[in-house]
């Protein structure tokens, strides 16, 4: 400290914010020829496929993230000779290195992935070609603490303050939620000889903060195709809707907090187990959700923006920070209705067995008073035709949608988080060649106001420049400019707001442009 200088002691309040430290996107491409295992019959016709990604290892080092896992591809097909339905699974290993500038070992990374363009082509009855693109999205966040100046120990200082309602990150936690449900076959269904195919979807997921926990509820939509032990009617299919409730521990969480939570399925499976009589009639559905939970507390802060006194020269020092406040949370629904034509020529549709869907967002953008979301619902429909020997066929369809989630007051400087979910999906036959689709997509958006403010971290005091002050007139009549405030005028003319109000008989601090004010400086006269 230079002689003749003093530092004003500031009282502070702390807030926590989440900043993106580094992020990266990469794609892994698969183009693999796969031989049908010897234990599986020849492939006559492919019906349906599905894929999932399983991660074995995610390791972070300086500037890099190493990913190791596999793409699991399942195929439902018709045997070439016997005309029976079979399934097979292929496991395609992968390794990838992501460049993440600035990260170090010990950082925490949020990793998401999406399977795009999964396609299987039959080379011949014993060989498949599997093509797929898996896109990985990696984000490394870091906590940023901001110290807000709210008061000073020294008396006699004039403070310019601003009341701010800010978001303080109170909880940031990743956890898993396991949903495990059992289903017993109806009495009119045969026992399970072999489980051929299944899908499990979570719809209508609702995540809510409560006292020291996060509650989850939704529905598991399960489809099962199996071979029964009844020789007369071996192929059976079932659909179940299983409501579920669950919770994960979240210390420090309260019901009033503002949640920003995402969920993704990281594992799913269905097993068959015997019932009390020892018969294979119980299905155990096991789904694991990964929850990324950020919970904010809204807080009021009186933040000091500037300091002065007519008796000393006050020099504030600091830097600009981005502060976040809540603009709006909105829960919106987009209802879709469309008709799709079945282009298969093998026969007329007799019955729809199962339909599944997935929301894919292609583009989001801020528009006037809202966020526009454009995307598709990607559907797969399994149905049967009038062929008693092998009636199962499958088709895919894409239903486009465009929806504006209302967010009044949103600007390009705002930050928003969008969570989409397929809440409802139904398919019904219009006739033997056309299917009517009805779907509901939920779009939940959290919009934050982001504004830049100069945050003072220290105030330096120096003796007044008396030569400069003596050169100023002791009494001045000043004409108020449109951009002026009383605080600015008082600081410029080495007086106080109270003195100006008293001298000019102002009942409050409101002034008008071109209003004359009588000013008397307090020092150097």
């Amino acid at each position: 400290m230079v002689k003749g200088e003093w530092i004003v002691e500031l009282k502070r309040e702390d807030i926590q914010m989440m900043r993106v430290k580094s992020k990266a996107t990469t794609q892994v491409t698969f183009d693999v020829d796969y031989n049908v295992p010897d234990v599986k019959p020849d492939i006559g016709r492919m019906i349906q496929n599905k894929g999932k990604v399983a991660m074995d290892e995610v390791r972070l080092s300086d500037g890099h993230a190493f990913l190791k896992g596999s793409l699991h591809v399942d195929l439902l097909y018709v045997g070439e000779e016997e005309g029976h339905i079979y399934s097979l699974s292929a496991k395609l290993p992968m390794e990838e290195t992501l460049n993440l500038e600035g990260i170090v070992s010990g950082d925490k990374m949020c990793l998401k992935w999406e399977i795009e363009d999964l396609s299987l082509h039959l080379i011949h009855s014993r060989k498949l070609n599997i093509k797929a693109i898996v896109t990985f999205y990696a984000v490394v966040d870091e906590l940023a603490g901001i110290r807000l100046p709210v008061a000073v120990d020294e008396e006699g200082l004039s403070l310019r303050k601003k009341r701010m309602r800010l978001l303080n990150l109170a909880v940031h936690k990743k956890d898993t939620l396991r949903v495990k449900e059992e289903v017993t076959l109806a009495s009119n269904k045969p026992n399970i000889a072999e489980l051929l195919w299944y899908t499990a979807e979570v719809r209508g997921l609702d995540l809510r903060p409560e006292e020291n926990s996060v509650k989850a509820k939704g529905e598991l939509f399960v489809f099962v195709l199996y071979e029964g032990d009844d020789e007369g009617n071996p192929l059976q299919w079932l659909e179940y809707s299983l409501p579920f409730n669950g919770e994960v521990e979240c210390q420090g969480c309260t019901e009033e907090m503002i949640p920003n939570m995402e969920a993704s399925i990281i594992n799913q499976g269905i097993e068959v187990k015997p019932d009390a009589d020892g018969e294979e009639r119980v299905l155990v559905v096991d789904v694991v959700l990964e929850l990324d939970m950020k919970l904010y507390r809204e807080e009021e802060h009186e933040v000091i923006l500037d300091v002065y006194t007519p008796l000393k020269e006050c020099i504030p020092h600091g830097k600009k920070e981005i502060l976040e406040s809540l603009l709006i949370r909105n829960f919106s629904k987009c209802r879709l209705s469309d008709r799709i034509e079945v282009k298969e020529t093998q026969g007329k549709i007799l019955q729809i067995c199962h339909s599944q869907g997935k929301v894919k967002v292609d583009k989001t953008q801020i528009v006037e008073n809202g966020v526009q979301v454009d995307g598709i619902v990607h559907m797969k429909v399994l149905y049967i035709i009038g062929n008693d020997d092998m009636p199962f066929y499958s088709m895919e369809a894409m239903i486009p949608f465009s929806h504006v989630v209302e967010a009044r007051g949103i600007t390009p400087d705002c930050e928003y988080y969008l969570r989409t979910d397929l809440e409802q999906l139904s398919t019904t036959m219009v006739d033997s060649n056309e299917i009517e689709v009805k779907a509901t997509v939920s779009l939940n958006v959290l919009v934050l106001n982001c504004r830049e403010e100069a945050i003072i971290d220290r105030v330096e005091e120096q003796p007044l420049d008396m030569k400069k002050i003596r050169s100023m007139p002791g009494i001045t009549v000043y004409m108020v400019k449109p951009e002026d405030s009383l605080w600015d005028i008082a600081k410029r003319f080495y007086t106080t707001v109270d003195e100006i109000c008293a001298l000019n008989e102002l009942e409050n601090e409101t002034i008008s442009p071109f209003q004359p004010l009588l000013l008397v400086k307090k020092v150097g006269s």
Side-chain angles (χ1 to χ4, degrees), residues 15-206:
I15 60 170
Q16 296 281 348
M17 301 179 68
M18 190 64 71
R19 303 286 193 217
V20 175
K21 186 176 183 181
S22 186
K23 62 180 179 180
T25 302
T26 190
Q27 288 186 328
V28 180
T29 303
F30 295 87
D31 189 351
V32 179
D33 289 344
Y34 177 79
N35 293 317
V36 178
D38 294 339
V39 296
K40 293 290 183 179
D42 290 359
I43 298 175
R45 175 171 60 84
M46 295 186 292
I47 301 175
Q48 201 171 75
N49 63 64
K50 62 181 180 179
K52 69 176 181 180
V53 173
M55 298 306 301
D56 301 320
E57 183 182 2
V58 178
R59 188 174 71 249
L60 272 63
S61 60
D62 292 353
H64 297 89
F66 174 72
L67 313 179
K68 184 179 181 182
S70 54
L71 173 65
H72 294 248
V73 179
D74 296 309
L75 173 66
L76 185 68
Y77 71 94
V78 180
E80 190 174 51
E81 295 180 1
E82 302 173 31
H84 290 168
I85 286 185
Y86 303 93
S87 60
L88 60 81
S89 298
K91 182 179 179 181
L92 310 180
M94 62 180 172
E95 291 186 3
E96 185 73 8
T97 300
L98 277 164
N99 293 320
L100 289 158
E101 188 177 342
I103 71 164
V104 296
S105 180
D107 280 343
K108 292 181 180 179
M109 181 174 71
C110 179
L111 183 67
K112 299 177 185 176
W113 54 81
E114 186 176 7
I115 302 173
E116 302 178 60
D117 302 325
L118 174 63
S119 61
L120 279 66
H121 301 280
L122 197 60
I123 299 172
H124 54 71
S125 62
R126 302 300 301 173
K127 183 179 282 190
L128 292 167
N129 176 254
I130 302 173
K131 287 185 171 70
I133 297 172
V134 179
T135 305
F136 287 95
Y137 307 91
V139 178
V140 178
D141 292 323
E142 63 179 349
L143 274 175
I146 299 177
R147 310 203 71 197
L148 304 173
V150 294
V152 296
D153 284 338
E154 190 173 328
E155 293 183 359
L157 294 181
S158 292
L159 306 176
R160 170 183 269 173
K161 287 189 169 187
K162 185 176 182 180
R163 181 181 292 274
M164 300 181 186
R165 191 166 182 82
L166 302 176
L167 290 181
N168 183 14
L169 183 65
V171 177
H172 182 211
K173 183 184 179 185
K174 290 181 76 171
D175 209 337
T176 55
L177 173 66
R178 189 173 188 180
V179 181
K180 199 168 184 178
E181 301 285 342
E182 289 191 1
V183 179
T184 302
L185 299 184
S187 57
N188 62 342
K189 290 291 184 180
N191 295 344
I192 300 171
E194 183 183 359
L195 185 62
L196 296 171
W197 195 254
Y198 74 86
T199 61
E201 292 180 288
V202 175
R203 294 185 194 167
L205 180 63
D206 182 30

Side-chain angles (χ1 to χ4, degrees), residues 13 148-150 160-166 299-305 323 325 451 453:
E13 293 173 352
L148 304 173
V150 294
R160 170 183 269 173
K161 287 189 169 187
K162 185 176 182 180
R163 181 181 292 274
M164 300 181 186
R165 191 166 182 82
L166 302 176
E299 297 177 350
E300 291 271 1
H301 298 274
E302 289 268 5
V303 181
I304 298 172
L305 299 183
L323 302 179
S325 59
R451 62 176 181 270
E453 295 280 1

Side-chain angles (χ1 to χ4, degrees), residues 18 108 169 171-176 212 248-251 261-262 291-295:
M18 190 64 71
K108 292 181 180 179
L169 183 65
V171 177
H172 182 211
K173 183 184 179 185
K174 290 181 76 171
D175 209 337
T176 55
N212 292 321
V248 295
E249 184 181 346
C250 189
Q251 288 297 322
M261 297 187 279
E262 294 188 18
L291 306 182
D292 186 6
M293 300 174 285
K294 299 184 183 78
L295 295 131

Side-chain angles (χ1 to χ4, degrees), residues 119-369:
S119 61
L120 279 66
H121 301 280
L122 197 60
I123 299 172
H124 54 71
S125 62
R126 302 300 301 173
K127 183 179 282 190
L128 292 167
N129 176 254
I130 302 173
K131 287 185 171 70
I133 297 172
V134 179
T135 305
F136 287 95
Y137 307 91
V139 178
V140 178
D141 292 323
E142 63 179 349
L143 274 175
I146 299 177
R147 310 203 71 197
L148 304 173
V150 294
V152 296
D153 284 338
E154 190 173 328
E155 293 183 359
L157 294 181
S158 292
L159 306 176
R160 170 183 269 173
K161 287 189 169 187
K162 185 176 182 180
R163 181 181 292 274
M164 300 181 186
R165 191 166 182 82
L166 302 176
L167 290 181
N168 183 14
L169 183 65
V171 177
H172 182 211
K173 183 184 179 185
K174 290 181 76 171
D175 209 337
T176 55
L177 173 66
R178 189 173 188 180
V179 181
K180 199 168 184 178
E181 301 285 342
E182 289 191 1
V183 179
T184 302
L185 299 184
S187 57
N188 62 342
K189 290 291 184 180
N191 295 344
I192 300 171
E194 183 183 359
L195 185 62
L196 296 171
W197 195 254
Y198 74 86
T199 61
E201 292 180 288
V202 175
R203 294 185 194 167
L205 180 63
D206 182 30
L207 300 170
R208 292 182 184 272
E210 295 198 1
E211 208 68 32
N212 292 321
S213 70
V214 170
K215 295 288 179 66
K217 68 176 182 179
E219 286 185 284
L220 274 178
F221 278 78
V222 179
F223 171 75
V224 174
L225 178 67
Y226 74 92
E227 191 172 296
D229 61 3
D230 182 357
E231 293 184 3
N233 189 19
L235 281 179
Q236 301 286 329
W237 67 89
L238 305 163
E239 275 192 303
Y240 296 99
S241 172
L242 308 173
F244 69 86
N245 290 277
E247 68 176 277
V248 295
E249 184 181 346
C250 189
Q251 288 297 322
C253 175
T254 64
E255 192 176 343
E256 295 78 23
M257 285 184 178
I258 296 164
N260 179 16
M261 297 187 279
E262 294 188 18
S264 55
I265 296 176
I266 58 171
N267 195 23
Q268 58 174 288
I270 294 182
E271 293 181 352
V272 181
K273 76 172 190 177
D275 61 8
D277 298 325
E279 297 181 323
E280 302 285 318
R281 301 187 60 79
V282 178
L283 294 167
V284 182
V285 185
D286 195 356
V287 174
V288 179
L289 295 169
E290 183 178 66
L291 306 182
D292 186 6
M293 300 174 285
K294 299 184 183 78
L295 295 131
Y296 296 88
R297 185 185 296 113
E298 269 196 295
E299 297 177 350
E300 291 271 1
H301 298 274
E302 289 268 5
V303 181
I304 298 172
L305 299 183
D306 202 356
V307 177
Y308 87 93
T309 171
L311 307 176
K312 295 174 187 174
E313 198 74 48
C314 294
I315 305 169
H317 299 274
K319 61 180 180 179
K320 291 186 176 180
E321 299 278 6
I322 302 294
L323 302 179
E324 297 175 341
S325 59
L326 176 67
L327 178 67
I328 196 168
R329 287 174 66 205
N330 200 356
F331 303 90
S332 186
K333 295 183 190 299
C334 175
R335 290 177 171 83
L336 307 175
S337 181
D338 202 356
R339 292 190 176 190
I340 53 177
E341 186 180 348
V342 181
K343 296 179 181 179
E344 301 287 354
T345 58
Q346 287 81 0
K348 304 294 186 182
I349 302 177
L350 289 184
Q351 185 180 351
I352 296 172
C353 301
H354 172 62
S355 58
Q356 64 184 104
K358 179 183 177 185
V359 179
K360 186 178 187 302
V361 174
D362 296 322
K363 182 182 178 183
T364 63
Q365 61 180 332
I366 293 175
V367 295
E368 186 178 358
N369 290 324

